[in-house]
């Protein structure tokens, strides 16, 4: 990567890091770091544009509707910042398109990744929602929102509207069925599919153990 690009990445990194100091819902700075690293690894394998992938991964949660009160304003701020760093409007658009395409939204995001770079960042973000890290994050998110770990009287919901998906009437265990266990089949790149397979299996084992312990059988 050329020096000018490395400098932009450094600036964006500081900007994002300062913005996500106060998140305790599993969307903290270290989530961003993991997604950046995974994205870069996949970008290398897929010979994608590493600069765009890195910037999109760094910024992917910075204008999310559930994390910021005014996503449009956050995007404008971000664009001004990026342009001040010397990025072209074209590059900014490319990055914002990737970010818009990433979100799962209970399966209600109608946008499909329109570029290889978009597929890669989406894969990396979704990989961080499954496996051992994914289990930690779902518990963290649920606790942060004041929800239960599990309620045996509540069953996972199907065909959720976006409002239902966000309405808080779920437990951490329900979220496995409403989202996490669906992710392995939604991966785009071969590299991510392979990792997802292992992480998925780990979650299945975890759930099996969870129910046994819940019933006092183990
Ligand atoms: P999206 O907004 O695209 O659905 P999120 O950013 O909400 O994706 O998901 C990121 C992570 O936040 C999830 O993988 C999960 O760990 C956590 N999370 C989101 N919604 C819930 C929920 N209702 N219950 C528990 N964890 C959640
Ligand atoms: Ni994310």
């Amino acid at each position: 990567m050329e020096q000018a690009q490395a400098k932009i990445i450094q600036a964006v990194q500081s900007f994002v890091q300062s913005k996500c100091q106060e998140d305790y819902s599993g969307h903290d700075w270290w989530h961003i770091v993991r997604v950046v690293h995974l994205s870069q690894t996949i970008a290398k394998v897929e010979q994608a544009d590493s600069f765009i992938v890195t910037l999109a991964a760094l910024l992917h949660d910075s204008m999310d509707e559930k994390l910021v009160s005014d996503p449009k304003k956050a995007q404008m701020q971000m664009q001004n910042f990026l342009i001040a760093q010397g990025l072209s409007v074209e590059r900014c658009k490319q990055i914002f398109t990737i970010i818009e395409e990433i979100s799962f939204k209970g399966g209600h995001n109608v946008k499909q990744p329109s570029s290889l770079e978009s597929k890669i960042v989406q894969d990396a973000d979704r990989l961080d929602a499954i496996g051992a890290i994914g289990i930690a994050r779902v518990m963290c998110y649920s606790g942060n929102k004041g929800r239960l770990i599990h309620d045996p009287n509540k069953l996972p919901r199907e065909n959720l509207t976006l409002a239902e998906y966000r309405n808080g009437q779920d437990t951490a265990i329900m979220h496995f069925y409403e989202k996490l266990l669906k992710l392995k089949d939604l991966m785009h790149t071969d590299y991510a599919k392979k990792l997802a397979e292992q992480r998925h299996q780990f979650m299945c084992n975890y759930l099996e153990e969870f129910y046994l312990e819940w019933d006092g059988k183990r």
Side-chain angles (χ1 to χ4, degrees):
M1 206 172 288
E2 53 178 278
Q3 212 176 358
Q5 293 186 335
K7 219 169 135 197
I8 294 176
I9 287 173
Q10 192 56 47
V12 172
Q13 190 167 314
S14 306
F15 184 85
V16 174
Q17 193 168 8
S18 72
K19 290 241 179 238
C20 56
Q21 286 306 318
E22 312 226 330
D23 184 280
Y24 299 101
S25 74
H27 296 83
D28 53 279
W29 170 243
W30 296 110
H31 162 62
I32 306 292
V33 171
R34 291 189 302 270
V35 173
V36 168
H37 286 157
L38 256 176
S39 298
Q40 288 174 334
T41 304
I42 305 174
K44 210 175 248 172
V45 175
E46 296 284 334
Q47 299 183 330
D49 184 335
S50 180
F51 178 59
I52 286 299
V53 160
T54 302
L55 287 181
L58 276 170
L59 292 167
H60 83 273
D61 270 338
S62 298
M63 40 202 127
D64 191 299
E65 43 160 27
K66 68 183 179 312
L67 300 173
V68 297
S69 52
D70 189 346
K72 277 265 165 298
K73 196 171 138 205
Q75 179 167 338
M76 273 318 288
Q77 263 181 358
M78 194 63 68
Q79 177 155 339
N80 291 339
F81 177 78
L82 291 174
I83 286 172
Q85 301 306 312
L87 222 68
S88 67
V89 174
E90 198 50 45
R91 285 292 213 188
C92 289
K93 275 201 190 130
Q94 229 178 328
I95 293 164
F96 293 144
T97 301
I98 296 178
I99 295 172
E100 277 163 28
E101 290 169 349
I102 284 181
S103 185
F104 178 70
K105 296 201 172 84
H108 288 276
N109 193 347
V110 288
K111 300 201 174 94
Q112 284 295 316
S114 56
S115 63
L116 175 61
E117 286 70 23
S118 186
K119 288 179 184 171
I120 289 172
V121 182
Q122 189 175 76
D123 278 358
D125 191 35
R126 289 179 172 176
L127 279 170
D128 206 55
I130 61 178
I133 297 274
I135 295 171
R137 290 183 71 218
V138 74
M139 294 303 167
C140 180
Y141 187 98
S142 256
N144 184 265
K145 304 283 175 203
R147 302 176 191 170
L148 283 179
I149 296 170
H150 180 45
D151 178 347
N153 295 323
K154 278 189 170 172
L155 292 177
R157 304 156 297 174
E158 270 168 52
N159 304 317
L160 285 174
T161 63
L162 179 57
E164 285 167 336
Y165 177 68
R166 295 269 193 239
N167 73 4
Q169 299 302 311
D170 57 340
T171 64
I173 291 294
M174 282 163 75
H175 197 66
F176 279 80
Y177 301 95
E178 293 178 358
K179 175 179 178 187
L180 308 187
L181 294 171
K182 297 177 180 170
L183 293 180
K184 93 169 159 52
D185 292 330
L186 300 175
M187 298 292 159
H188 305 285
T189 62
D190 287 343
Y191 188 90
K193 281 180 192 165
K194 220 157 125 192
L195 290 194
E197 209 53 66
Q198 296 167 24
R199 294 184 186 207
H200 182 89
Q201 191 52 50
F202 187 84
M203 290 196 295
C204 293
N205 298 347
Y206 172 82
L207 285 170
E208 205 180 305
E209 176 73 20
F210 184 95
Y211 294 125
L212 286 171
E213 291 185 13
W214 188 272
D215 291 332
K217 289 184 180 148
R218 190 130 85 183

